Amino acid sequence: MGGSLNLTREVLDRARASRDARFDGKFFIAVTSTKIYCRPVCPARTSKDCNVRYYATAAEASEAGFRPCLRCRPEAAPGSPAWIGTSAVVKRALRLIQEGALDNRSVDDLASRLGIGGRHLTRLFAQHVGASPAALGHTRRLHFAKRLLDDTRLSITDIALASGFGSVRRFNGAFLACYRRSPSKLRKFQPANGESDGAHIVLRLAYRPPYEWPHLHAFLSKRAIRGVEVVENQGYVRAIRTAGGHAVIRVQPVPGADSLELRIRGAQPTDLLPILTAARRVFDLAADPARIADALGGDALLRPLIQLRPGLRIPGVWEPFECCVRAIVGRQSSVAAARTLLGRLVQCLGQPIQAAESGI
């Protein structure tokens, strides 16, 4: 595993011993004596070197027979570009899986989108990732379910639907196999956060620091579409289309933590995972500032700019249609003129919704 990240066992051991946050989400630590895998920043007592195994992804650790740690919560780790150093096909497949390509479709369907066969895709994943595509999709859904158990008061049935399981029975069986506890027992062990209820969900999206939020906030403020988006002093609010209708989200930084707070109102349980995935993409939370600085810092022109404003992110888009309209309108207009025209389009053609937030 160390080779896939260009890291030696010695470097991995030092990162584990120092609990270096820069490696959070880049690899996972499994302990043979407890059969548990953790993040590098886990506060648990350091295990003996002879009992430690390293894995590039949570799915790989799970496939090897380890279960997630309940203290450091691997499901809450910053999104990791686990495809670094792998083939272009695996890169694209991993991105599609993170965007939900296997939530309602098969591995063969995913392989068809990539122009190869399902068996060949599975072989490529075994070679480059150490886990099958199905295992990665399964782990993604289980980790999201664990987050909902910890951070919301949604019912077990709603969590099963939200995380892509067809029935509560399938969800309970998969969860018990992974965590060695049923969802209901785990919720009793770790009571849910009181901030979330069935209609209002609050989740935290972790990232690797630094994060230049003021720059991203200013970017969104200049381009906010009247009627769709509102940019407040520190937060960003907008309406988004979902499979079940619409939802209103609010995103803002969490003081003293390397994470953004995502508040979702009006979404159906099955909408939550796509919304979370889209938010991570829009706010570029999978970026690795240290790696970017290392790659660009060798340029004499870029080096001082990187030092001046570390942690810059590339804003994404919520949906392809909106991106196309913005591109067409923006090509012929200034930022201010495009914003005005887009606001008129929304006023004339948009669908009114019931929302408490002013301006949406």
Side-chain angles (χ1 to χ4, degrees):
M1 171 264 154
S4 66
L5 292 175
N6 295 320
L7 299 175
T8 64
R9 172 77 188 213
E10 180 183 1
V11 172
L12 294 170
D13 286 339
R14 288 207 309 268
R16 172 173 61 92
S18 63
R19 295 181 172 85
D20 193 330
R22 294 175 298 174
F23 291 89
D24 191 14
K26 291 188 175 181
F27 66 87
F28 295 87
I29 303 161
V31 181
T32 57
S33 57
T34 62
K35 302 301 291 183
I36 290 174
Y37 70 89
C38 304
R39 297 159 62 179
V41 296
C42 184
R45 184 177 61 183
T46 303
S47 303
K48 295 180 180 179
D49 290 349
C50 60
N51 293 333
V52 171
R53 303 289 184 271
Y54 294 108
Y55 294 97
T57 65
E60 187 179 3
S62 181
E63 284 285 275
F66 297 92
R67 64 183 186 274
C69 174
L70 297 180
R71 293 187 65 182
C72 66
R73 299 177 58 195
E75 68 276 359
S80 177
W83 53 86
I84 290 176
T86 65
S87 74
V89 173
V90 175
K91 283 184 185 181
R92 187 179 175 207
L94 279 163
R95 178 176 57 80
L96 291 173
I97 291 173
Q98 288 303 315
E99 293 176 357
L102 293 181
D103 289 351
N104 298 305
R105 296 187 178 184
S106 68
V107 173
D108 287 337
D109 292 333
L110 173 62
S112 296
R113 292 180 64 179
L114 300 170
I116 60 176
R119 290 185 179 180
H120 183 47
L121 180 63
T122 300
R123 285 195 296 268
L124 287 175
F125 265 68
Q127 176 185 351
H128 294 289
V129 183
S132 67
L136 284 167
H138 185 71
T139 300
R140 173 177 177 267
R141 292 193 297 272
L142 277 175
H143 280 187
F144 183 64
K146 174 63 164 50
R147 294 191 64 180
L148 294 180
L149 278 171
D150 289 341
D151 299 336
T152 77
R153 295 190 178 187
L154 289 174
S155 68
I156 301 298
T157 300
D158 283 343
I159 290 175
L161 294 174
S163 49
F165 291 90
S167 67
V168 176
R169 176 179 291 184
R170 284 186 57 201
F171 172 57
N172 285 337
F175 202 90
L176 184 62
C178 181
Y179 287 94
R180 306 297 191 270
R181 288 187 176 94
S182 67
S184 56
K185 286 186 177 180
L186 189 60
R187 173 162 277 180
K188 290 179 181 178
F189 178 71
Q190 291 181 293
N193 189 328
E195 288 189 89
S196 300
D197 54 39
H200 196 94
I201 306 299
V202 181
L203 298 171
R204 287 194 174 189
L205 312 180
Y207 58 78
R208 294 191 184 89
Y211 192 104
E212 183 63 25
W213 173 258
H215 174 268
L216 188 61
H217 183 266
F219 179 92
L220 295 172
S221 179
K222 291 179 180 179
R223 293 162 176 80
I225 302 174
R226 182 163 51 90
V228 176
E229 303 168 292
V230 174
V231 179
E232 305 170 331
N233 288 337
Q234 277 297 316
Y236 168 79
V237 185
R238 74 163 285 151
I240 57 175
R241 192 199 323 267
T242 65
H246 73 271
V248 177
I249 65 159
R250 181 186 300 270
V251 180
Q252 59 189 27
V254 179
D258 297 329
S259 60
L260 300 179
E261 180 184 83
L262 172 64
R263 291 180 175 265
I264 308 169
R265 188 175 63 79
Q268 299 297 317
T270 51
D271 298 328
L272 296 178
L273 186 52
I275 290 174
L276 180 72
T277 301
R280 293 198 63 87
R281 181 185 68 249
V282 169
F283 292 92
D284 199 16
L285 300 184
D288 186 344
R291 187 178 181 89
I292 293 171
D294 287 342
L296 302 181
D299 186 279
L301 294 176
L302 293 177
R303 189 184 308 114
L305 299 176
I306 294 172
Q307 295 172 349
L308 180 65
R309 306 186 71 174
L312 286 176
R313 306 293 168 125
I314 300 176
V317 294
W318 290 97
E319 58 179 26
F321 177 74
E322 179 180 327
C323 180
C324 291
V325 175
R326 284 181 181 269
I328 293 170
V329 174
R331 185 176 182 181
Q332 305 296 332
S333 313
S334 65
V335 172
R339 179 183 179 185
T340 300
L341 181 54
L342 290 169
R344 291 176 181 172
L345 286 174
V346 170
Q347 186 177 14
C348 294
L349 305 174
Q351 177 184 356
I353 62 174
Q354 297 294 326
E357 284 79 0
S358 60
I360 300 296

